[in-house]
């Protein structure tokens, strides 16, 4: 269940972050921002309650959020996604993988 809770936390955080960007042009999007972040933290807490280590859960949550926000902001808002940014995403993913592997050692 921890992985399912974490997936929901990531999706809610991503929805809130994208809504925050949309709220720049239309304040009605703020109605999604606060509940999105709140639900994300609740599900992150449930992930931890299921026994996933904090370093692993938080690392995956933030890394997935950064990577997905970068890709989706490119698609939705035509924001830049340069090769250097792509390399940064790969490095973040590699760091999270090392943290996860280290937690099992």
């Amino acid at each position: 269940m921890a992985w399912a809770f974490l997936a929901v936390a990531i999706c809610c955080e991503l929805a809130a972050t994208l809504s925050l960007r949309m709220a720049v042009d239309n304040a009605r999007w703020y109605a999604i921002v606060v509940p999105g972040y709140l639900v994300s933290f609740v599900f992150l807490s449930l992930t931890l309650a299921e026994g996933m280590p904090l370093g692993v859960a938080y690392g995956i949550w933030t890394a997935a959020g950064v990577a997905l926000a970068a890709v989706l902001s490119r698609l939705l808002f035509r924001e830049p996604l340069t090769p250097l940014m792509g390399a940064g995403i790969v490095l973040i993913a590699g760091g999270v993988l090392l943290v996860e592997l280290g937690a099992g050692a």
Side-chain angles (χ1 to χ4, degrees):
M1 272 314 274
W3 288 101
F5 289 149
L6 185 57
V8 173
I10 291 166
C11 290
C12 290
E13 187 268 338
L14 185 60
T17 300
L18 294 174
S19 296
L20 187 60
R21 172 60 177 85
M22 294 292 293
V24 169
D25 299 323
N26 185 343
R28 290 184 295 175
W29 285 94
Y30 284 117
I32 297 173
V33 174
V34 173
Y37 284 126
L38 181 62
V39 172
S40 180
F41 279 111
V42 167
F43 275 88
L44 184 59
S45 297
L46 292 172
T47 301
L48 299 175
E50 285 291 314
M52 186 178 288
L54 176 61
V56 172
Y58 187 72
I60 293 170
W61 182 66
T62 55
V66 167
L68 292 170
V71 170
L72 290 174
S73 69
R74 171 70 181 138
L75 297 173
L76 297 173
F77 309 120
R78 309 255 190 266
E79 292 182 353
L81 182 59
T82 65
L84 189 58
M85 294 168 72
I89 290 170
V90 170
L91 288 171
I92 291 169
V96 170
L97 178 63
L98 291 174
V99 168
E100 186 171 352
L101 292 173

